[in-house]
Amino acid sequence: MSVDEKALEALGDDFYVAISDLTNNSRPMITSFTLLAQENIDAAEYLTRAVEKRIEKAVPHQKLYALYLLDSICKNVGSPYTLLFAQKIYQTYTQAYLLVDDQTRKKFIDLFKTWKNAKTSSGLPLFPDEPMAKIEQFLVRATAIHQQSSAKVNVAMLLQTIDKLLYLTNQRLLRSPNDQSIPAKIGIIKQLKFALQNDRSMTQDALVGVKRQLDEMTTAEENSLRSTPPIKSPPLSNPQPNLQNIFNSIQNPTATSLQTQDTGYNNVEDKTKNLTLLNSMINLKGSAIRTPTPTQTQQPVVKKNNLTSLLSSLEKQGLVKKKTPSPHEVPSTSLLNSILQKTKIASSNRLNTVHKSPLEEELEKFDINAKFVSLDPTSTYTALFVSRKTHKCGTCGKRFGDSQQEQAKSRDHLDWHFRINKKLKEGAIVQSRNWYLDDEQFVQFRDEDMFGSGEQEDKTTTEKNNAGSKERHYVVVPSDSEMSCLCGVCKEVLKARYDDDLGEWIWDDAVKKNGRIFHYSCYSETNTSSSLASIVGAKRTRDLSSLDFDMIRNVMKNVKLDDRSKVNTKG
Amino acid sequence: MSLPGLSSSAVNTSQANETVDIGARAEWRIEVDLKDTVTVKVTKGIVEVFGTELAIDVEYKFTGQKIAFYSHEGGQLEYSGPLVSEYVSEETQMSAYLNFHFALCKMREQDVRGPRVLILGPKDCGKTSLAKILASYASRMDYEPMIVNLNPSDPVFSIPGTLTGTPVSDILDVEDGWGQTYTTGVAPLHPKQPTVRYYGSPDIHENLKFYKHNVSRLGVTVCSRVSEDSTMKKSGVIVDTPPLTIKDVEIIEDVISDFEINVMVVIGNERLFIDLKKKFQAKLNVVKLPKSGGCVERDDSFTRQVQQRSIREYFYGTPKTVLSPYTVYVDFDVVKVYKPFVDAGGLISSVLPIGEDGLDNEEKKPDPLLQSLEPSSSSLQHCVLAILQADKKSDEDIILRSSVLGFGVVTDVDDTKSKLRILIPVPGRLPDRAMLLGSFRYTE
Ligand SMILES: [Zn+2]
Ligand SMILES: [Zn+2]
């Protein structure tokens, strides 16, 4: 490699470092990098590689900005960059596409459409036809997969769910006749039902989103009905379908992308719920990602009537906007918002996308080295403590988010409250404190082991129970073992005795589990009150064999209640 | 159930409810006497206590606490019950604390190894409140930081005299200060799992060598717990301290290395901040935060009463979680009690900077940290004993390494029969473990 060549390569490396700062959509930065590329055409090969590498290496939500840089260089400088990028444009584009979230994918697609029509200064297509056709094929397939992947949901199912929800909500109204929010909620649910019955053309994605939202509301109703006794008017901690809010924000669009909307949103003065709701239902139809087709030739940069981008900009607004309403208002989930989020999450899970961007962006200005003390934390407070965690537990105030995982956590959490409260009310049992863990146990202890789903059944328990109480339990002393050992639960000494019938030394009334000896009574008592074995099993897989049964028993005895109470919960 | 000092919770319903409006970024500060209980219910808005958001329309009960109810965007609450003082203040430092929290979050998001924060400042400047606020905020964002308490006078998840490390794995219990541990069994909120070491005195200067020994051992345990858990590694560690001054710089240096500190925050003392910044800014971030106007000086008698209460709650629980302890009778010769070794001129030499205690010492072999103690009524009556994890027959170095299994209180000593009566938390025999005596006493 010549000296010149080395210098060019170094230039490429420098360029890579420089463009790694492209962590947001900064037009000035993209412009100046484009100029740099223009001024260093000699190094075009290396600069091209630097941009490709940046697209590859950037965290998902930043890939788009590097792709915009590619776009800017090709459109403004043209050859030789167009030729160089064209060599790998298919890989560059599709690999990045798979890693970004739906919202960004939308922008990828928009960008691709501009490529299809763009011409270089000499009148040739920006990129050769072949990779463009391949990318288009890819996008057709990708978006089709996207639509299939959602579970089939039909309107009839939704109507059933709505009827159940109406029933539950009416039940709650009977219990809390003074809670004025309930009739309002019922009204909204009825409108939703009406809209669904009259609009048969919603996309799968929109239906799935609506279903999730309904399921969530149903769960919330079930939970608040279950936990009614202590509270006169159960706090509507879970999704309050405050449709008005989101509709109001639709009616006051601020984002530039909304200005070309001709759906009538911006003109709506009529705030009757019905009309707005129907409007939004109709428009939800378009919320799935459109498959680009060759016939869609004229694509302005800001697409008209693009529901997805409308919704996403609303969502963005929503994140910041929730701080504005009355200070006493507990922010609530909006139907539209959460529908959008659901579809986004469903597809991102599928492709293992990292959803880090909003958090990092939100935290951007707080730097431990800078003067952070006098900043205004309000918008971040709202975004991270409230909007990201819309579901507030009515019992303890802990919040959960919208994702499926968060909803599952929320359900476990409510179940847990329910079991604990039941246990505390049954009350008569006076309990004693247990010992602390030793250092090793402490280092190995994980809270999540204590609050698992509770679904893992302990097989040995049922075996024991079925075996009946008459059966004799003993353990034959292994030939290489001492004659006494300690019970793994109560720590008392078990002494071996010679059994004439068996002709063996045994520990009587004992069982051996996982290589340890227990009094039979100690073991069965421990086991019926907990899924001990599953915990130990989990520990084992992490190679934490020294875990002390004593500790687990102490903890489990009290924390994880037996499954009978759980059955009652559901029943 | 009636237990000494525990009032049942069905008292205050007859009293009229007062309504309090809290404006945006304001807080309602109250003081509740140790013998009174106040019931508070949030009716509107997001209201938090030391960073923990309260549920709406749920009654919270507070006894013997000085607390603030903060609302960032305004809220309303109702209360009933007697208060020593109450007022709404708009002069809060919560925005600064929030910003600090977000700056820590940025560190958490940027590195797999999150912030290790050391909180420093004079007495009653709000160090513990800040620690709690940071832990709660972190928990609200699904982080699980480790909270470390190095102030033996002000127990966290344990009794006074202890140094503890506790993963904040879930919401804190605002009614109980920090909340319950797994040792209490069924509790209304998720319990926490501390590791506990016993230093045994409220004053760190009483036996600095033994204090530093315990700090360093706790550091080992905490760091290995944190390093084995990616969530906690990212979430980081928050270390609360006793009131330290620039004279204690040697202790501060030890803590920095024991807990791998990378952020030092000084509250409400410009001078200390400047001194520490000069000394440490090359190796870590030194930041200062303003002291909250809500900080109240706690007199010694309040501190002592709170300490006694936490010992009582260790054995008997709280009104929400009543516990039943157990009494054992044992012969003198089945117990093995140690106490921290204090040499004749102990108090004097321990305040001298290292290297200034004269040449004589260098020739002597190093003083032991522990000494054995003969049971008697004069040495043990009403004393709190830490029951260690180490077996009573263990060598002294194993005993020194050992953390705490639990606590006992010697309720009676019969010198003629050579018998002790000991209150222990767990039914059963007295464990065959070594025991450590400190300076705390407890009488029922
Ligand atoms: Zn809860
Ligand atoms: Zn046993």
Side-chain angles (χ1 to χ4, degrees):
Chain A
M1 188 184 281
S2 73
V3 177
D4 279 357
E5 200 73 0
K6 273 197 179 142
L8 294 177
E9 192 185 2
L11 197 66
D13 292 345
D14 290 348
F15 191 65
Y16 177 71
V17 172
I19 64 176
S20 298
D21 285 341
L22 202 52
T23 54
N24 56 19
N25 192 8
S26 160
R27 183 145 294 282
M29 280 171 88
I30 291 176
T31 308
S32 59
F33 291 139
T34 306
L35 284 173
L36 268 171
Q38 187 159 30
E39 287 158 10
N40 293 283
I41 291 222
D42 286 353
E45 205 183 326
Y46 296 101
L47 302 192
T48 303
R49 273 183 218 157
V51 174
E52 286 169 350
K53 183 174 163 196
R54 173 65 193 161
I55 296 172
E56 187 194 333
K57 301 281 185 204
V59 296
H61 77 276
Q62 294 175 0
K63 290 184 190 295
L64 180 68
Y65 316 133
L67 194 68
Y68 281 160
L69 175 61
L70 179 157
D71 176 73
S72 169
I73 293 174
C74 290
K75 283 179 182 157
N76 293 297
V77 189
S79 167
Y81 287 101
T82 42
L83 301 171
L84 289 164
F85 278 118
Q87 291 168 4
K88 286 171 76 178
I89 191 76
Y90 175 75
Q91 290 89 328
T92 309
Y93 181 92
T94 57
Q95 278 164 18
Y97 179 92
L98 288 173
L99 293 172
V100 300
D101 59 46
D102 270 7
Q103 212 173 316
T104 313
R105 283 183 185 167
K106 193 74 208 54
K107 301 206 172 101
F108 267 60
I109 293 172
D110 288 345
L111 185 65
F112 174 73
K113 286 174 183 159
T114 70
W115 291 350
K116 282 176 58 80
N117 303 304
K119 303 264 192 277
T120 63
S121 49
S122 53
L124 293 168
L126 188 66
F127 295 114
D129 288 343
E130 196 229 320
M132 289 298 101
K134 270 176 79 182
I135 291 177
E136 190 167 328
Q137 279 286 308
F138 165 85
L139 288 174
V140 169
R141 281 209 327 273
T143 46
I145 289 167
H146 178 262
Q147 301 206 334
Q148 281 166 13
S149 71
S150 322
K152 285 271 180 248
V153 174
N154 59 42
V155 174
M157 280 165 68
L158 290 182
L159 291 175
Q160 270 180 9
T161 315
I162 286 183
D163 287 338
K164 184 182 173 194
L165 180 59
L166 274 174
Y167 171 77
L168 289 170
T169 315
N170 277 316
Q171 286 295 307
R172 192 155 60 84
L173 183 61
L174 291 177
R175 295 197 198 182
S176 320
N178 297 325
D179 188 338
Q180 307 210 333
S181 69
I182 302 178
K185 189 176 175 184
I186 292 176
I188 292 169
I189 300 169
K190 284 186 173 158
Q191 286 164 37
L192 185 62
K193 184 177 176 181
F194 176 76
L196 276 169
Q197 284 168 330
N198 291 284
D199 182 348
R200 295 271 165 177
S201 55
M202 285 176 75
T203 64
Q204 259 307 302
D205 275 3
L207 289 174
V208 168
V210 172
K211 179 174 189 306
R212 288 242 184 77
Q213 180 76 21
L214 288 171
D215 288 345
E216 207 169 83
M217 286 156 71
T218 307
T219 312
E221 285 295 348
E222 283 170 344
N223 286 327
S224 70
L225 278 176
R226 276 203 319 222
S227 59
T228 290
I231 310 154
K232 291 145 289 171
S233 58
L236 266 183
S237 53
N238 271 333
Q240 223 168 347
N242 197 338
L243 295 169
Q244 255 77 35
N245 266 5
I246 192 72
F247 292 153
N248 290 342
S249 61
I250 292 173
Q251 288 157 15
N252 305 307
T254 51
T256 46
S257 63
L258 299 187
Q259 283 169 5
T260 52
Q261 296 294 333
D262 59 3
T263 53
Y265 282 136
N266 19 14
N267 303 326
V268 174
E269 289 300 324
D270 179 2
K271 298 200 175 183
T272 55
K273 289 179 250 168
N274 236 331
L275 186 58
T276 341
L277 181 74
L278 287 172
N279 258 339
S280 66
M281 296 298 285
I282 290 156
N283 286 297
L284 274 172
K285 291 184 288 185
S287 72
I289 293 174
R290 294 231 178 92
T291 308
T293 60
T295 50
Q296 282 178 290
T297 39
Q298 297 297 79
Q299 288 296 338
V301 179
V302 179
K303 273 185 52 198
K304 280 190 162 192
N305 220 347
N306 179 342
L307 238 292
T308 309
S309 82
L310 165 66
L311 291 177
S312 27
S313 61
L314 276 174
E315 187 197 35
K316 269 192 213 144
Q317 272 178 286
L319 279 177
V320 222
K321 224 187 159 171
K322 293 220 167 114
K323 68 179 180 212
T324 35
S326 104
H328 291 331
E329 186 147 356
V330 180
S332 49
T333 330
S334 73
L335 181 59
L336 296 180
N337 230 332
S338 86
I339 287 174
L340 181 80
Q341 284 218 316
K342 296 307 153 39
T343 48
K344 206 170 80 185
I345 284 152
S347 61
S348 66
N349 282 348
R350 194 158 38 84
L351 293 158
N352 298 321
T353 306
V354 188
H355 262 287
K356 265 189 170 176
S357 52
L359 178 56
E360 275 177 321
E361 268 161 32
E362 200 59 61
L363 294 169
E364 195 57 43
K365 67 176 176 183
F366 300 96
D367 198 313
I368 195 84
N369 297 306
K371 290 201 185 318
F372 61 81
V373 172
S374 50
L375 294 171
D376 181 358
T378 305
S379 66
T380 311
Y381 183 101
T382 310
L384 299 184
F385 287 152
V386 186
S387 310
R388 216 166 67 116
K389 299 264 179 188
T390 42
H391 306 238
K392 179 168 168 173
C393 169
T395 306
C396 73
K398 183 176 171 162
R399 283 175 178 267
F400 296 89
D402 266 339
S403 72
Q404 272 176 296
Q405 199 192 2
E406 285 280 294
Q407 287 179 44
K409 268 162 93 182
S410 165
R411 277 193 298 275
D412 284 350
H413 177 82
L414 293 171
D415 271 354
W416 182 84
H417 273 309
F418 185 79
R419 281 179 287 142
I420 290 291
N421 285 339
K422 189 159 174 275
K423 183 89 177 175
L424 289 173
K425 259 176 225 148
E426 285 165 2
I429 32 124
V430 178
Q431 49 185 2
S432 297
R433 188 180 290 277
N434 299 304
W435 302 118
Y436 293 117
L437 305 186
D438 71 24
D439 284 24
E440 199 179 339
Q441 294 160 345
F442 171 78
V443 168
Q444 291 162 354
F445 182 85
R446 295 296 178 274
D447 286 86
E448 61 261 30
D449 295 337
M450 293 299 132
F451 301 108
S453 64
E455 302 297 323
Q456 314 112 313
E457 275 298 322
D458 177 18
K459 291 189 187 85
T460 55
T461 309
T462 35
E463 279 167 33
K464 285 291 165 222
N465 290 343
N466 295 342
S469 52
K470 294 246 169 100
E471 197 184 317
R472 186 175 161 200
H473 299 272
Y474 62 87
V475 176
V476 175
V477 181
S479 53
D480 58 347
S481 161
E482 306 267 337
M483 297 305 275
S484 354
C485 68
L486 294 182
C487 166
V489 171
C490 71
K491 303 286 184 196
E492 273 177 28
V493 176
L494 285 145
K495 287 201 175 113
R497 68 172 185 81
Y498 188 78
D499 187 285
D500 288 330
D501 296 342
L502 293 164
E504 297 265 25
W505 284 93
I506 59 161
W507 289 301
D508 208 358
D509 197 27
V511 290
K512 184 174 185 175
K513 287 289 162 200
N514 296 316
R516 298 193 67 163
I517 312 296
F518 304 88
H519 287 117
Y520 174 65
S521 54
C522 286
Y523 183 80
S524 51
E525 180 195 313
T526 306
N527 248 351
T528 44
S529 61
S530 67
S531 44
L532 177 71
S534 65
I535 297 288
V536 175
K539 292 284 178 192
R540 282 283 151 102
T541 58
R542 289 211 308 261
D543 193 29
L544 304 172
S545 48
S546 65
L547 219 106
D548 195 338
F549 271 75
D550 201 4
M551 172 282 281
I552 297 172
R553 170 183 177 254
N554 285 339
V555 175
M556 296 305 297
K557 182 176 79 186
N558 298 305
V559 175
K560 206 153 189 175
L561 303 168
D562 67 27
D563 290 308
R564 269 168 293 160
S565 57
K566 197 158 184 197
V567 171
N568 291 342
T569 315
K570 299 266 157 72
Chain B
M1 164 150 304
S2 89
L3 287 165
L6 294 183
S7 56
S8 174
S9 52
V11 192
N12 37 34
T13 35
S14 56
Q15 279 151 317
N17 281 1
E18 303 272 350
T19 301
V20 179
D21 280 301
I22 307 173
R25 296 174 180 225
E27 63 189 24
W28 181 54
R29 295 173 183 154
I30 61 166
E31 185 176 341
V32 192
D33 195 87
L34 279 154
K35 62 181 193 313
D36 293 331
T37 298
V38 154
T39 305
V40 181
K41 183 172 86 175
V42 178
T43 46
K44 279 180 196 160
I46 294 178
V47 177
E48 52 187 53
V49 169
F50 298 122
T52 297
E53 181 176 349
L54 303 186
I56 296 276
D57 282 332
V58 171
E59 291 191 344
Y60 291 86
K61 292 181 168 47
F62 300 94
T63 296
Q65 284 201 57
K66 297 170 183 182
I67 40 176
F69 296 77
Y70 174 75
S71 183
H72 198 73
E73 297 182 318
Q76 190 184 65
L77 46 77
E78 288 175 13
Y79 76 95
S80 62
L83 291 170
V84 178
S85 69
E86 61 95 11
Y87 64 102
V88 171
S89 171
E90 277 160 20
E91 311 274 301
T92 83
Q93 302 299 347
M94 288 303 286
S95 284
Y97 296 173
L98 274 164
N99 289 332
F100 182 52
H101 160 72
F102 290 132
L104 296 178
C105 289
K106 190 177 177 189
M107 293 176 75
R108 290 174 177 127
E109 291 307 314
Q110 282 180 339
D111 199 339
V112 288
R113 190 175 170 282
R116 311 284 180 100
V117 186
L118 178 62
I119 304 174
L120 294 170
K123 186 173 183 292
D124 297 326
C125 70
K127 292 187 292 297
T128 306
S129 301
L130 178 66
K132 204 182 282 181
I133 288 165
L134 294 177
S136 300
Y137 282 161
S139 178
R140 279 163 76 175
M141 287 171 60
D142 297 325
Y143 297 114
E144 289 180 23
M146 171 87 76
I147 194 93
V148 171
N149 177 40
L150 300 183
N151 184 1
S153 164
D154 202 357
V156 172
F157 291 115
S158 193
I159 71 161
T162 56
L163 310 181
T164 54
T166 315
V168 178
S169 46
D170 208 305
I171 188 169
L172 296 175
D173 186 338
V174 294
E175 293 171 300
D176 285 340
W178 286 89
Q180 303 293 321
T181 67
Y182 277 100
T183 66
T184 46
V186 180
L189 292 176
H190 283 182
K192 313 295 182 296
Q193 184 71 273
T195 181
V196 180
R197 297 200 63 87
Y198 197 53
Y199 163 66
S201 158
D203 177 9
I204 66 162
H205 291 103
E206 196 171 304
N207 191 339
L208 203 52
K209 213 166 126 188
F210 191 56
Y211 176 73
K212 290 208 285 196
H213 163 79
N214 279 294
V215 168
S216 148
R217 291 305 314 177
L218 183 64
V220 171
T221 309
V222 162
C223 289
S224 52
R225 170 71 174 88
V226 173
S227 69
E228 287 197 9
D229 181 335
S230 58
T231 307
M232 200 170 291
K233 196 171 184 178
K234 175 180 176 175
S235 308
V237 180
I238 299 161
V239 182
D240 188 16
T241 59
L244 297 173
T245 68
I246 196 68
K247 287 190 196 115
D248 300 305
V249 71
E250 189 203 321
I251 304 173
I252 296 173
E253 277 175 335
D254 280 2
V255 173
I256 288 172
S257 70
D258 288 336
F259 292 90
E260 300 166 5
I261 297 298
N262 57 12
V263 177
M264 180 188 278
V265 53
V266 183
I267 308 179
N269 191 318
E270 189 67 23
R271 182 66 205 278
L272 183 63
F273 168 69
I274 291 168
D275 288 346
L276 290 171
K277 184 162 177 132
K278 219 182 290 169
K279 183 129 184 63
F280 293 107
Q281 64 179 349
K283 57 190 226 185
L284 39 82
N285 294 297
V286 185
V287 300
K288 68 171 169 179
L289 285 176
K291 172 181 162 176
S292 163
C295 294
V296 263
E297 262 185 48
R298 294 167 299 179
D299 55 32
D300 290 349
S301 100
F302 182 83
T303 305
R304 264 197 309 279
Q305 287 182 69
V306 171
Q307 288 172 348
Q308 287 297 300
R309 180 176 65 175
S310 82
I311 298 173
R312 187 184 67 226
E313 287 178 353
Y314 177 78
F315 290 101
Y316 294 101
T318 63
K320 277 194 297 185
T321 315
V322 177
L323 298 174
S324 138
Y326 193 75
T327 300
V328 289
Y329 298 88
V330 291
D331 291 332
F332 281 0
D333 59 6
V334 307
V335 300
K336 184 75 188 151
V337 182
Y338 292 85
K339 66 175 186 182
F341 177 84
V342 182
D343 68 66
L347 276 178
I348 300 159
S349 82
S350 68
V351 293
L352 284 174
I354 257 193
E356 286 184 27
D357 28 20
L359 286 172
D360 301 357
N361 276 2
E362 288 187 1
E363 285 148 26
K364 281 193 270 175
K365 63 173 181 184
D367 290 329
L369 283 165
L370 292 178
Q371 63 189 96
S372 175
L373 175 121
E374 288 307 314
S376 69
S377 57
S378 63
S379 63
L380 288 180
Q381 182 70 12
H382 301 312
C383 285
V384 174
L385 290 171
I387 303 165
L388 298 178
Q389 301 279 355
D391 192 276
K392 67 182 178 190
K393 296 189 204 81
S394 310
D395 292 340
E396 203 176 298
D397 60 324
I398 292 182
I399 290 168
L400 268 174
R401 269 207 298 268
S402 173
S403 61
V404 174
L405 177 75
F407 295 94
V409 167
V410 180
T411 49
D412 197 21
V413 185
D414 188 333
D415 284 327
T416 54
K417 288 182 184 159
S418 296
K419 272 190 177 291
L420 294 168
R421 196 171 73 190
I422 307 179
L423 187 70
I424 57 173
V426 184
R429 294 165 42 215
L430 181 70
D432 279 338
R433 315 290 176 103
M435 297 199 277
L436 184 58
L437 173 70
S439 64
F440 288 96
R441 285 178 164 67
Y442 175 75
T443 40
E444 294 185 58

